[in-house]
Amino acid sequence: MSNTTAAAVIRRQDYTPPAFLIDSVALEFDLVPARTVVKNTMKLRRNPDAQGDASRLELMGEQLEFVSAKIDGVAHEDVRISENGLSIGNIPAGDFELSIENICNPAENTTLSGLYVSSGNFFTQCEAEGFRRITYFLDRPDVMSTYTVTLRADKAAYPVLLSNGNLIGEGDLPDGRHFAQWEDPFKKPSYLFALVAGKLVCIEERIRSGSGKEKLLQVWVEPQDLDKTHHAMDSLINSIRWDEKRFGLELDLDRFMIVAVSDFNMGAMENKGLNIFNTKYVLANPETATDTDFSNIEAVVGHEYFHNWTGNRVTCRDWFQLSLKEGLTVFRDQEFSADMSAGDVDGAASAAARATKRIEDVRVLRQMQFAEDAGPMAHPVRPESYVEINNFYTMTVYEKGSEVVRMYQTLFGRDGFRRGMDLYFQRFDGQAVTCDDFRHALADANQRDLAQFERWYSQAGTPRVSVRASYDAAKKRYTLSLAQGYGEASEAARDTQGGPLLIPFSVGLIGKNGADLPLRLEGEQEPNGTTRVLEFTERDQSFTFVDVNEAPLPSLLRNFSAPVIVEYDYTNDELAFLLAHDSDPFNRWEAGQRLATRELLALAERAAKGETLAIDDQVIAAFARVLDDTTLTPAFRELALMLPSESYLAEQMAVSDPAAVHAARVFMSRRLASQLRDKWLATYEANRTPGEYRPVSEDAGKRGLKNLALAYLSQLDDPREAVKLAQAQYDAANNMTDRSAALSALLLASATKGADAGVADAALADFYRRFENEALVIDKWFALQATQRGGPDRKVIEIVRKLMQHQAFNIRNPNRARSLIFSFCSGNPAQFHAADGSGYAFWAEQVIALDALNPQVAARLARGLELWRRFTPQLREKMHAALSEVASKVKSRDVREVVEKALAA
Ligand code: B3K
Ligand code: ZN
């Protein structure tokens, strides 16, 4: 097998169709934790589309104990076993039945890939290549089969037995055992297989889908969590309704199940009819989950449900096409969340709610994906090669992939996008296809040639668009001259593949009174609207507007119409004006961010040189106006008043200096706190949400703004008033949003010079006692401590090392590892990048420890130092040492790929 040799590079260009196809599979499991027996009976035939005639059948298999193989019922001799699978010779000419028996050990499986045990229950995770850890198979997404699954297990220990599709039989067996039989009528690739067995309970609902068929919906959890399932169920029902309405897509199975598991490598998994979820994205009640948790649950439930069509009914031909399902499904979940937050309201309120969601998504993209694109793991949305596919479930494939899908909608409108989707399903339902197939469907449905658009799939790096504007007052003409390219960081990517992109570049022009001007492009008969999407297709291109009666201010890339960096020299005055007036809410927020970023970067430069810091009063005044502007929603004001993150700012510097960025950001936060103190206090009071907790966007927005005000107030030189407010809020809170925000404010106040850390420590102790039995809340407790500001007398690395010894810490549980280790290494840059290198030494120890247990989780952590070359020489040297240490010790393909790329770059 070409794709299982250690460290072999797999290339997109090398794709060949499988030599054999598997039409159906019957799986039988005798579930025993340390020794599960699997019988796998497959109906195979040669693939008519295969190139050449294969004489041997090569099945993938990993960490399996082979027992026997039979062809058409007869024991088969010509079987070679290797650590990567089975090679079977002497294959019959026509169709045949291959029956294999093997054994696996779920109890010892700490990788959480394949079949494993968590809290005494059995779960599976097969994407991308976990099925081969369960049985021998053609474990690749272009081999699609129908599955019948029989599960047998001890009835007392495993009363619930679930798999994909419909339950077709169940009953008791001798010796206290029982069985269940499941059949999935839809063909699927092996990565969508799932089983669950154990002591679980569920809530259920019966609904009628669009065409009137009855559907059974279930959410399965451990018994103590049953009271935390309602929000997930509501989200599932909303997802089903939304996909019917927006895309005409109906639930195709009679039964749809969600199961929560506390040991899980990522967020959730879209197995056909049996979605398996990290508890973090299912369980919520007001006491344990924050507003963010509630909205994440809605988004992830939606995302996995939407995969039923975009991913499952139409799947990927090979893993290079991953964004075909992931980019598209992220786009769908973003649209779903936007529609849900806009609710039934129309007009400005709905536009504001949608913009809030858009801003949140773009923040993530710019903070994480742009950074990825500037480092050694940069890759196109459709990667060209990989060593370990699990390393390519990235921000680029998911988030940039979603932006690429969004651009089709921006170009063709919602209706044109829907036509493209309809054609896509008409052509490809039941098949494993490519990103090109998707693009062609969109092009054909809209009678457009989208050949140039392919470059969005093949070019790595973040494009830059630099803009020049000129106004001819005599002729009343206004010209925008656009130039596209890549910054130095991505120059290599551009040179190898080349060619300008088709960039939908949305613009508006704003007059002196703050109102949008009507837009008429040269050559047009009359003005048309106040926002236009320019199709920018050449390296340099100009667009001229005519009848422009005054020199306007351009509003560029409205609603972030393409995943690019816009370079335009606005003055601070102009940014303040846009922040106050732009009719495009996204760009209003963007103007504030530009203003803050510019100021913060200037402060960081001064801090690096040890100079004294000062802030332009104009900037403070611009923020004050936002705080006062009650025509803006609280959610929008919160986003506009939140400063760009330290990691984003460090990324913007020529040489990243986390200490300087931290000093700058702390300085500006404290100035905003003191200069606007009375306004923050008033805002705090005005945005309380008394009464019963409701996880709706309106209330969540108020809580968010109120808690931001509290965070600013906690940074005053004298934070006593804030401490009082925070303590009162902590004690009175009827929800986790307010309680955890209060705790975090107490921690922030304790970082003030001369403050008494005792108050925060007492609250931390109380929080632990209250929620000792709520794993997801204890994760928050660890994370809050790992991300705290700290100070000279409160070194966070020391606190983190102590917490590693806490009885509740367990490195084998990915949520817990993330809550402490990842929170510190990625969520606390100032402390992590301590000049003494203590953060890096800790990072190296943890990557090495995780590598031996769970390579997927280890590889994520390993990515924490990939941008090492961008840092100051002192830090760079220490980071290099830590990377080299890891490279010399780790064994997994996952971590090796990450650190070797980082060191080679
Ligand atoms: N498709 C899964 C991710 C699988 C990750 C494998 N390492 C969840 C999702 O994107 O919906
Ligand atoms: Zn997905």
Side-chain angles (χ1 to χ4, degrees):
M1 266 156 293
S2 60
N3 61 344
T4 42
T5 322
V9 178
I10 324 289
R11 291 177 206 286
R12 183 173 72 86
Q13 295 301 345
D14 293 344
Y15 173 83
T16 53
F20 292 85
L21 297 175
I22 304 174
D23 292 318
S24 66
V25 199
L27 295 171
E28 292 174 59
F29 288 87
D30 280 289
L31 293 163
V32 176
R35 200 179 159 81
T36 288
V37 181
V38 185
K39 279 195 201 115
N40 163 11
T41 304
M42 297 166 269
K43 296 233 190 310
L44 289 111
R45 65 188 157 100
R46 285 192 157 70
N47 181 4
D49 298 331
Q51 295 146 11
D53 188 39
S55 57
R56 301 187 71 84
L57 167 64
E58 312 284 351
L59 297 178
M60 294 88 156
E62 274 173 22
Q63 306 281 308
L64 299 175
E65 188 184 322
F66 174 76
V67 178
S68 66
K70 287 180 189 163
I71 288 188
D72 294 327
V74 180
H76 196 71
E77 297 298 318
D78 189 352
V79 178
R80 293 181 206 148
I81 305 164
S82 76
E83 66 180 69
N84 299 320
L86 291 184
S87 171
I88 304 178
N90 198 12
I91 306 280
D95 301 1
F96 62 100
E97 185 185 276
L98 172 62
S99 178
I100 292 178
E101 190 172 318
N102 66 267
I103 291 165
C104 56
N105 185 348
E108 294 292 305
N109 183 359
T110 59
T111 67
L112 312 186
S113 161
L115 178 62
Y116 63 94
V117 175
S118 165
S119 310
N121 301 323
F122 287 95
F123 296 90
T124 54
Q125 171 55 36
C126 293
E127 188 177 1
E129 299 180 334
F131 192 72
R132 66 188 64 182
R133 300 166 57 88
I134 297 174
T135 187
Y136 297 95
F137 207 71
L138 291 176
D139 188 16
R140 42 185 289 169
D142 55 355
V143 173
M144 298 175 78
S145 326
T146 52
Y147 285 64
T148 309
V149 178
T150 307
L151 304 173
R152 289 187 286 265
D154 183 81
K155 191 171 179 177
Y158 310 102
V160 173
L161 302 173
L162 308 175
S163 191
N164 315 86
N166 301 316
L167 182 65
I168 55 170
E170 57 185 332
D172 288 339
L173 296 168
D175 302 328
R177 293 169 66 75
H178 72 147
F179 78 95
Q181 199 168 43
W182 294 82
E183 184 182 68
D184 183 353
F186 294 96
K187 280 191 167 237
K188 65 169 175 284
S190 51
Y191 82 85
L192 291 174
F193 165 80
L195 77 77
V196 171
K199 287 197 185 94
L200 298 166
V201 295
C202 78
I203 57 160
E204 55 182 47
E205 293 275 351
R206 279 166 211 277
I207 63 159
R208 286 196 184 279
S209 66
S211 68
K213 291 197 201 82
E214 193 179 88
K215 309 283 175 184
L216 173 62
L217 312 178
Q218 298 177 321
V219 178
W220 292 91
V221 295
E222 287 184 36
Q224 74 275 14
D225 292 323
L226 199 61
D227 64 328
K228 305 187 196 80
T229 50
H230 297 279
H231 182 64
M233 178 62 89
D234 291 345
S235 300
L236 177 59
I237 295 171
N238 289 332
S239 305
I240 295 172
R241 296 293 174 228
W242 183 85
D243 219 11
E244 288 175 347
K245 199 164 156 215
R246 177 81 176 261
F247 288 107
L249 298 170
E250 195 175 346
L251 173 57
D252 52 7
L253 286 162
D254 301 340
R255 178 181 182 130
F256 191 91
M257 298 171 278
I258 287 177
V259 188
V261 56
S262 54
D263 294 286
F264 205 63
N265 282 346
M266 62 269 173
M269 179 63 214
E270 70 264 25
N271 317 298
K272 186 78 187 187
L274 181 59
N275 286 187
I276 297 182
F277 273 61
N278 188 324
T279 44
K280 184 172 162 62
Y281 296 107
V282 176
L283 304 180
N285 68 25
E287 287 75 41
T288 61
T290 61
D291 291 324
T292 307
D293 294 324
F294 274 88
S295 67
N296 286 342
I297 289 169
E298 179 180 83
V300 179
V301 167
H303 181 97
E304 306 311 330
Y305 176 75
F306 302 142
H307 266 314
N308 190 50
W309 279 94
T310 51
N312 301 4
R313 287 288 287 254
V314 183
T315 194
C316 302
R317 186 192 71 174
D318 56 73
W319 292 120
F320 296 102
Q321 317 300 328
L322 185 57
S323 197
L324 172 75
K325 73 176 178 84
E326 295 304 347
L328 177 53
T329 305
V330 171
F331 169 73
R332 277 152 54 68
D333 84 52
Q334 289 177 348
E335 289 288 276
F336 165 63
S337 294
D339 286 347
M340 292 299 296
S341 70
D344 298 327
V345 290
D346 289 321
S350 123
R354 298 187 66 86
T356 304
K357 169 67 178 155
R358 183 74 186 128
I359 291 165
E360 286 164 354
D361 293 338
V362 173
R363 264 170 61 105
V364 171
L365 179 86
R366 285 212 287 226
Q367 229 170 93
M368 321 271 295
Q369 196 279 326
F370 282 19
E372 179 167 276
D373 244 347
M377 280 289 289
H379 54 276
V381 164
R382 181 187 60 197
E384 290 299 332
S385 68
Y386 60 77
V387 172
E388 170 52 61
I389 184 56
N390 285 317
N391 285 333
F392 284 79
Y393 287 73
T394 57
M395 289 313 251
T396 300
V397 165
Y398 277 65
E399 311 300 322
K400 185 176 179 183
S402 163
E403 294 299 321
V404 170
V405 172
R406 184 176 295 278
M407 285 189 284
Y408 294 106
Q409 182 171 277
T410 303
L411 289 167
F412 303 138
R414 270 200 196 190
D415 293 344
F417 185 74
R418 171 68 193 270
R419 275 195 299 280
M421 289 287 279
D422 289 351
L423 185 60
Y424 174 64
F425 291 115
Q426 196 182 311
R427 282 184 182 169
F428 302 117
D429 188 14
Q431 298 176 43
V433 304
T434 65
C435 297
D436 282 339
D437 291 325
F438 182 75
R439 180 169 49 87
H440 289 136
L442 266 293
D444 295 349
N446 292 282
Q447 287 104 46
R448 272 287 299 259
D449 176 357
L450 287 178
Q452 184 179 7
F453 200 77
E454 189 192 1
R455 292 182 186 140
W456 280 111
Y457 293 91
S458 61
Q459 293 183 190
T462 307
R464 285 171 186 266
V465 176
S466 58
V467 182
R468 277 179 306 116
S470 65
Y471 180 61
D472 183 333
K475 298 203 174 104
K476 299 191 171 176
R477 290 161 61 88
Y478 183 76
T479 301
L480 287 174
S481 304
L482 310 182
Q484 56 170 299
Y486 291 84
E488 261 166 53
S490 313
E491 213 52 39
R494 187 194 64 181
D495 288 349
T496 51
Q497 292 152 72
L501 297 154
L502 190 181
I503 300 176
F505 198 84
S506 175
V507 299
L509 301 180
I510 302 173
K512 299 258 170 326
N513 64 358
D516 278 338
L517 302 179
L519 299 180
R520 179 176 160 206
L521 280 161
E522 191 172 34
E524 290 177 344
Q525 295 305 311
E526 51 193 47
N528 179 6
T530 53
T531 297
R532 297 291 288 273
V533 178
L534 307 175
E535 291 196 14
F536 173 32
T537 57
E538 290 158 39
R539 219 174 267 298
D540 299 282
Q541 201 171 348
S542 293
F543 298 86
T544 296
F545 295 92
V546 296
D547 287 348
V548 184
N549 291 323
E550 53 175 308
L553 189 56
S555 170
L556 304 167
L557 203 73
R558 281 187 160 173
N559 204 34
F560 199 72
S561 62
V564 301
I565 295 167
V566 176
E567 295 168 343
Y568 179 79
D569 275 327
Y570 287 110
T571 64
N572 277 4
D573 273 344
E574 290 173 334
L575 289 173
F577 187 82
L578 288 172
L579 177 58
H581 298 291
D582 200 323
S583 68
D584 182 68
F586 179 87
N587 268 3
R588 248 184 117 162
W589 169 80
E590 175 74 341
Q593 292 297 296
R594 278 181 186 258
L595 199 56
T597 302
R598 183 182 297 175
E599 196 69 18
L600 284 161
L601 289 177
L603 286 170
E605 294 295 333
R606 297 180 68 91
K609 293 193 208 123
E611 297 172 6
T612 47
L613 307 184
I615 288 188
D616 182 355
D617 283 339
Q618 237 196 325
V619 176
I620 305 273
F623 280 92
R625 277 195 295 276
V626 174
L627 194 47
D628 280 340
D629 187 347
T630 47
T631 66
L632 295 167
T633 62
F636 182 89
R637 281 188 280 159
E638 183 201 357
L639 286 167
L641 294 163
M642 224 151 74
L643 298 180
S645 75
E646 290 182 19
S647 53
Y648 176 77
L649 291 165
E651 170 72 11
Q652 307 308 305
M653 298 178 85
V655 176
S656 298
D657 184 341
V661 163
H662 182 70
R665 200 168 177 280
V666 170
F667 179 79
M668 186 156 168
S669 300
R670 303 188 61 165
R671 281 308 298 267
L672 283 167
S674 57
Q675 299 276 307
L676 310 181
R677 178 183 167 279
D678 295 345
K679 292 184 194 294
W680 289 122
L681 275 173
T683 303
Y684 184 89
E685 293 303 332
N687 286 279
R688 290 182 188 266
T689 49
E692 203 187 321
Y693 172 85
R694 301 181 307 160
V696 296
S697 55
E698 193 194 336
D699 286 7
K702 286 187 182 166
R703 280 186 288 271
L705 181 58
K706 177 191 69 181
N707 288 325
L708 181 74
L710 183 61
Y712 273 109
L713 291 167
S714 308
Q715 298 176 71
L716 287 168
D717 284 340
D718 178 1
R720 274 176 301 185
E721 193 167 13
V723 168
K724 247 196 233 147
L725 282 176
Q727 266 182 319
Q729 176 171 322
Y730 180 89
D731 291 333
N734 68 350
N735 66 83
M736 181 49 70
T737 306
D738 281 340
R739 201 183 304 273
S740 61
L743 180 52
S744 145
L746 290 174
L747 276 164
L748 200 49
S750 78
T752 316
K753 221 190 268 145
D756 169 17
V759 186
D761 287 334
L764 277 170
D766 176 83
F767 190 88
Y768 186 82
R769 274 195 304 276
R770 273 178 204 254
F771 298 107
E772 209 170 350
N773 299 318
E774 296 289 351
L776 295 171
V777 183
I778 296 304
D779 289 340
K780 295 183 197 302
W781 182 79
F782 278 108
L784 274 169
Q785 296 181 78
T787 53
Q788 68 185 295
R789 182 168 286 176
D793 310 325
R794 201 173 165 90
K795 285 226 171 65
V796 182
I797 179 71
E798 284 164 16
I799 296 173
V800 168
R801 282 196 180 274
K802 213 168 134 204
L803 286 171
M804 296 284 295
Q805 307 303 321
H806 194 280
Q807 51 166 10
F809 185 73
N810 170 14
I811 198 171
R812 289 173 191 243
N813 174 259
N815 285 356
R816 194 54 52 89
R818 283 187 279 257
S819 74
L820 183 57
I821 302 170
F822 288 55
S823 293
F824 176 68
C825 296
S826 330
N828 198 341
Q831 296 283 325
F832 176 62
H833 294 284
D836 60 7
S838 53
Y840 308 148
F842 173 75
W843 168 89
E845 280 168 40
Q846 303 314 321
V847 173
I848 292 165
L850 280 164
D851 180 67
L853 295 168
N854 188 329
Q856 279 186 48
V857 173
R860 290 277 158 167
L861 182 63
R863 294 197 56 191
L865 286 199
E866 72 187 18
L867 294 177
W868 66 282
R869 280 182 202 273
R870 300 188 39 85
F871 285 78
T872 59
Q874 297 86 330
L875 294 179
R876 205 188 306 157
E877 193 188 313
K878 295 200 164 72
M879 292 166 114
H880 182 262
L883 275 162
S884 307
E885 158 86 359
V886 167
S888 72
K889 298 222 168 112
V890 293
K891 302 208 166 53
S892 74
R893 186 166 58 190
D894 312 55
V895 180
R896 298 208 72 85
E897 177 172 31
V898 170
V899 294
E900 279 166 14
K901 282 184 174 161
L903 287 167

